[in-house]
Short mmCIF file of all heavy atoms in Angstrom, two decimals:
data_model
loop_
_atom_site.label_atom_id
_atom_site.label_comp_id
_atom_site.label_asym_id
_atom_site.label_seq_id
_atom_site.Cartn_x
_atom_site.Cartn_y
_atom_site.Cartn_z
N PHE S 158 87.61 104.23 151.91
CA PHE S 158 87.33 102.76 152.02
C PHE S 158 86.32 102.65 153.13
O PHE S 158 86.56 103.08 154.25
CB PHE S 158 88.60 101.99 152.34
CG PHE S 158 88.31 100.52 152.82
CD1 PHE S 158 87.65 99.68 151.96
CD2 PHE S 158 88.76 100.15 154.08
CE1 PHE S 158 87.46 98.37 152.42
CE2 PHE S 158 88.55 98.85 154.50
CZ PHE S 158 87.88 97.96 153.66
N ILE S 159 85.22 101.94 152.85
CA ILE S 159 84.09 101.87 153.81
C ILE S 159 83.66 100.40 153.84
O ILE S 159 83.69 99.78 152.78
CB ILE S 159 82.96 102.81 153.45
CG1 ILE S 159 83.40 104.29 153.54
CG2 ILE S 159 81.70 102.57 154.30
CD1 ILE S 159 82.38 105.30 153.20
N ILE S 160 83.34 99.91 155.01
CA ILE S 160 82.63 98.62 155.08
C ILE S 160 81.33 98.85 155.76
O ILE S 160 81.26 99.43 156.86
CB ILE S 160 83.43 97.55 155.86
CG1 ILE S 160 84.87 97.38 155.32
CG2 ILE S 160 82.65 96.18 155.80
CD1 ILE S 160 85.67 96.31 156.11
N CYS S 161 80.22 98.50 155.08
CA CYS S 161 78.92 98.45 155.69
C CYS S 161 78.39 97.06 155.69
O CYS S 161 78.88 96.20 154.94
CB CYS S 161 77.90 99.29 154.79
SG CYS S 161 78.36 101.01 154.71
N THR S 162 77.50 96.77 156.58
CA THR S 162 76.88 95.42 156.65
C THR S 162 75.35 95.51 156.64
O THR S 162 74.79 96.53 157.08
CB THR S 162 77.35 94.61 157.87
OG1 THR S 162 76.84 95.26 159.01
CG2 THR S 162 78.85 94.59 157.94
N ALA S 163 74.73 94.49 156.09
CA ALA S 163 73.28 94.52 155.89
C ALA S 163 72.74 93.11 156.13
O ALA S 163 73.05 92.18 155.29
CB ALA S 163 72.93 94.94 154.48
N PRO S 164 71.92 92.89 157.15
CA PRO S 164 71.34 91.59 157.26
C PRO S 164 70.38 91.30 156.13
O PRO S 164 69.55 92.17 155.79
CB PRO S 164 70.54 91.74 158.63
CG PRO S 164 70.33 93.22 158.85
CD PRO S 164 71.51 93.86 158.18
N SER S 165 70.56 90.17 155.49
CA SER S 165 69.90 89.96 154.16
C SER S 165 69.36 88.56 154.05
O SER S 165 69.91 87.56 154.54
CB SER S 165 70.95 90.16 153.07
OG SER S 165 71.39 91.49 153.03
N GLY S 166 68.23 88.45 153.34
CA GLY S 166 67.70 87.22 152.89
C GLY S 166 68.21 86.82 151.53
O GLY S 166 69.30 87.26 151.18
N SER S 167 67.50 86.02 150.78
CA SER S 167 67.98 85.53 149.48
C SER S 167 68.09 86.64 148.48
O SER S 167 67.30 87.57 148.46
CB SER S 167 67.01 84.45 148.93
OG SER S 167 66.96 83.40 149.86
N TYR S 168 69.07 86.51 147.53
CA TYR S 168 69.29 87.48 146.46
C TYR S 168 68.20 87.27 145.38
O TYR S 168 67.53 88.18 144.97
CB TYR S 168 70.64 87.35 145.91
CG TYR S 168 71.06 88.52 145.00
CD1 TYR S 168 71.56 89.66 145.58
CD2 TYR S 168 70.97 88.41 143.59
CE1 TYR S 168 71.95 90.74 144.78
CE2 TYR S 168 71.38 89.48 142.82
CZ TYR S 168 71.88 90.63 143.35
OH TYR S 168 72.26 91.72 142.57
N PHE S 169 68.02 86.03 144.99
CA PHE S 169 66.95 85.72 144.03
C PHE S 169 65.87 84.89 144.70
O PHE S 169 66.24 84.07 145.56
CB PHE S 169 67.51 84.88 142.80
CG PHE S 169 68.46 85.65 141.91
CD1 PHE S 169 69.77 85.21 141.85
CD2 PHE S 169 67.99 86.75 141.15
CE1 PHE S 169 70.69 85.93 141.08
CE2 PHE S 169 68.89 87.40 140.36
CZ PHE S 169 70.20 87.01 140.30
N ALA S 170 64.67 85.10 144.38
CA ALA S 170 63.61 84.21 144.88
C ALA S 170 63.29 83.25 143.73
O ALA S 170 62.86 83.63 142.65
CB ALA S 170 62.43 85.01 145.27
N GLY S 171 63.56 81.93 143.94
CA GLY S 171 63.13 80.97 142.96
C GLY S 171 64.14 80.84 141.82
O GLY S 171 65.22 81.46 141.83
N ASP S 172 63.76 80.03 140.80
CA ASP S 172 64.63 79.73 139.73
C ASP S 172 64.72 80.98 138.78
O ASP S 172 63.90 81.85 138.79
CB ASP S 172 64.06 78.57 138.92
CG ASP S 172 64.35 77.29 139.64
OD1 ASP S 172 64.95 77.33 140.74
OD2 ASP S 172 63.95 76.21 139.14
N VAL S 173 65.81 80.98 138.04
CA VAL S 173 66.15 82.15 137.22
C VAL S 173 66.05 81.78 135.73
O VAL S 173 66.57 80.76 135.30
CB VAL S 173 67.51 82.66 137.57
CG1 VAL S 173 67.94 83.77 136.68
CG2 VAL S 173 67.59 83.10 139.05
N LYS S 174 65.40 82.65 134.94
CA LYS S 174 65.33 82.47 133.55
C LYS S 174 66.23 83.49 132.85
O LYS S 174 66.14 84.69 133.18
CB LYS S 174 63.83 82.70 133.10
CG LYS S 174 63.49 82.26 131.71
CD LYS S 174 62.01 82.44 131.41
CE LYS S 174 61.75 82.38 129.95
NZ LYS S 174 60.37 82.75 129.59
N VAL S 175 67.15 83.05 132.06
CA VAL S 175 68.16 83.94 131.58
C VAL S 175 68.13 84.14 130.05
O VAL S 175 67.64 83.26 129.35
CB VAL S 175 69.59 83.43 131.95
CG1 VAL S 175 69.78 83.43 133.47
CG2 VAL S 175 69.94 82.09 131.35
N LEU S 176 68.63 85.25 129.58
CA LEU S 176 68.76 85.52 128.14
C LEU S 176 70.20 85.51 127.74
O LEU S 176 70.96 86.26 128.39
CB LEU S 176 68.10 86.87 127.86
CG LEU S 176 68.08 87.30 126.36
CD1 LEU S 176 67.25 86.34 125.51
CD2 LEU S 176 67.61 88.72 126.25
N ILE S 177 70.60 84.73 126.74
CA ILE S 177 71.95 84.80 126.23
C ILE S 177 72.08 86.00 125.30
O ILE S 177 71.32 86.10 124.28
CB ILE S 177 72.36 83.47 125.53
CG1 ILE S 177 72.31 82.35 126.60
CG2 ILE S 177 73.78 83.58 124.94
CD1 ILE S 177 72.70 80.93 126.08
N GLU S 178 72.95 86.93 125.68
CA GLU S 178 72.94 88.26 124.99
C GLU S 178 73.60 88.20 123.58
O GLU S 178 74.69 87.54 123.45
CB GLU S 178 73.70 89.23 125.88
CG GLU S 178 73.79 90.64 125.37
CD GLU S 178 72.40 91.30 125.24
OE1 GLU S 178 71.62 91.24 126.17
OE2 GLU S 178 72.17 91.86 124.12
N GLU S 179 73.01 88.80 122.63
CA GLU S 179 73.56 88.79 121.25
C GLU S 179 73.91 90.20 120.75
O GLU S 179 74.50 90.30 119.64
CB GLU S 179 72.46 88.24 120.27
CG GLU S 179 72.07 86.85 120.59
CD GLU S 179 70.70 86.54 119.88
OE1 GLU S 179 70.61 86.65 118.66
OE2 GLU S 179 69.77 86.17 120.60
N THR S 180 73.60 91.27 121.48
CA THR S 180 73.85 92.60 121.04
C THR S 180 74.72 93.37 121.91
O THR S 180 75.75 93.91 121.51
CB THR S 180 72.47 93.35 120.87
OG1 THR S 180 71.60 92.59 120.09
CG2 THR S 180 72.67 94.72 120.25
N TYR S 181 74.34 93.42 123.25
CA TYR S 181 75.12 94.25 124.17
C TYR S 181 76.28 93.43 124.75
O TYR S 181 76.29 92.20 124.66
CB TYR S 181 74.17 94.70 125.23
CG TYR S 181 73.17 95.68 124.69
CD1 TYR S 181 71.86 95.31 124.40
CD2 TYR S 181 73.47 97.02 124.43
CE1 TYR S 181 70.96 96.14 123.83
CE2 TYR S 181 72.57 97.87 123.90
CZ TYR S 181 71.29 97.50 123.57
OH TYR S 181 70.40 98.33 123.04
N SER S 182 77.23 94.13 125.36
CA SER S 182 78.32 93.45 125.97
C SER S 182 78.64 94.05 127.32
O SER S 182 78.30 95.22 127.55
CB SER S 182 79.57 93.59 125.12
OG SER S 182 79.32 93.06 123.87
N ARG S 183 79.28 93.23 128.12
CA ARG S 183 79.65 93.71 129.49
C ARG S 183 81.04 94.22 129.56
O ARG S 183 81.35 95.09 130.29
CB ARG S 183 79.52 92.47 130.44
CG ARG S 183 79.87 92.75 131.91
CD ARG S 183 79.73 91.49 132.75
NE ARG S 183 80.39 91.71 134.02
CZ ARG S 183 81.74 91.65 134.27
NH1 ARG S 183 82.51 91.24 133.29
NH2 ARG S 183 82.18 91.87 135.41
N SER S 184 81.95 93.63 128.71
CA SER S 184 83.39 94.04 128.91
C SER S 184 84.22 93.76 127.65
O SER S 184 83.78 92.98 126.74
CB SER S 184 83.97 93.24 130.09
OG SER S 184 83.98 91.83 129.79
N ALA S 185 85.35 94.46 127.59
CA ALA S 185 86.21 94.46 126.46
C ALA S 185 87.49 93.64 126.81
O ALA S 185 87.88 93.62 127.93
CB ALA S 185 86.59 95.85 126.06
N ASN S 186 88.11 93.05 125.79
CA ASN S 186 89.52 92.59 125.99
C ASN S 186 90.35 93.75 126.44
O ASN S 186 90.24 94.87 125.86
CB ASN S 186 90.04 92.06 124.68
CG ASN S 186 89.29 90.93 124.07
OD1 ASN S 186 89.15 89.83 124.70
ND2 ASN S 186 88.73 91.11 122.87
N GLY S 187 91.17 93.56 127.39
CA GLY S 187 91.98 94.69 127.84
C GLY S 187 91.23 95.67 128.68
O GLY S 187 91.73 96.75 128.96
#
Side-chain angles (χ1 to χ4, degrees):
Chain S
F158 165 59
I159 295 179
I160 307 180
C161 297
T162 67
S165 294
S167 302
Y168 193 82
F169 293 114
D172 286 0
V173 175
K174 194 175 164 188
V175 298
L176 179 66
I177 298 180
E178 184 61 52
E179 298 160 57
T180 306
Y181 295 99
S182 301
R183 180 183 167 277
S184 61
N186 298 302

